[in-house]
Amino acid sequence: MTKQKQLALQIRSRLALRDMTQKQLGKALGLGHAALSARMNGHKDFTFTELMKTAEVLGVSLRDLLPADEKEAHR
């Protein structure tokens, strides 16, 4: 599984825990359906700013969203 897909899976999981929809996340990020879908399907990378805002909206740290191997690289 690619890192982008792992990230998207982590975001989906956090959305479910917060009972939020992708549409709500997209609105918070200022992204339309197609733009968020491209990111959530691994076709386009999230920008750093988008990831920071996503973490804020989900009430987690950026580190909580990163794939496991990325967390190790940032220790």
Side-chain angles (χ1 to χ4, degrees):
M1 183 180 299
T2 67
K3 290 179 184 180
Q4 290 90 348
K5 291 193 182 212
Q6 289 174 354
L7 174 64
L9 183 62
Q10 193 61 259
I11 293 171
R12 282 189 188 94
S13 175
R14 299 293 177 150
L15 284 170
L17 288 172
R18 306 262 311 166
D19 199 28
M20 290 181 68
T21 65
Q22 287 187 28
K23 184 176 182 176
Q24 290 170 314
L25 176 61
K27 185 174 181 178
L29 297 177
L31 296 175
H33 172 76
L36 183 60
S37 179
R39 287 158 176 79
M40 295 299 288
N41 289 312
H43 300 297
K44 183 171 172 123
D45 291 339
F46 281 90
T47 66
F48 181 74
T49 302
E50 291 165 349
L51 286 176
M52 291 298 293
K53 181 68 177 176
T54 298
E56 179 185 323
V57 167
L58 296 175
V60 298
S61 72
L62 177 58
R63 185 181 181 115
D64 292 333
L65 297 178
L66 296 176
D69 59 332
E70 290 292 314
K71 290 179 190 176
E72 293 299 319
H74 295 292
R75 280 191 175 189

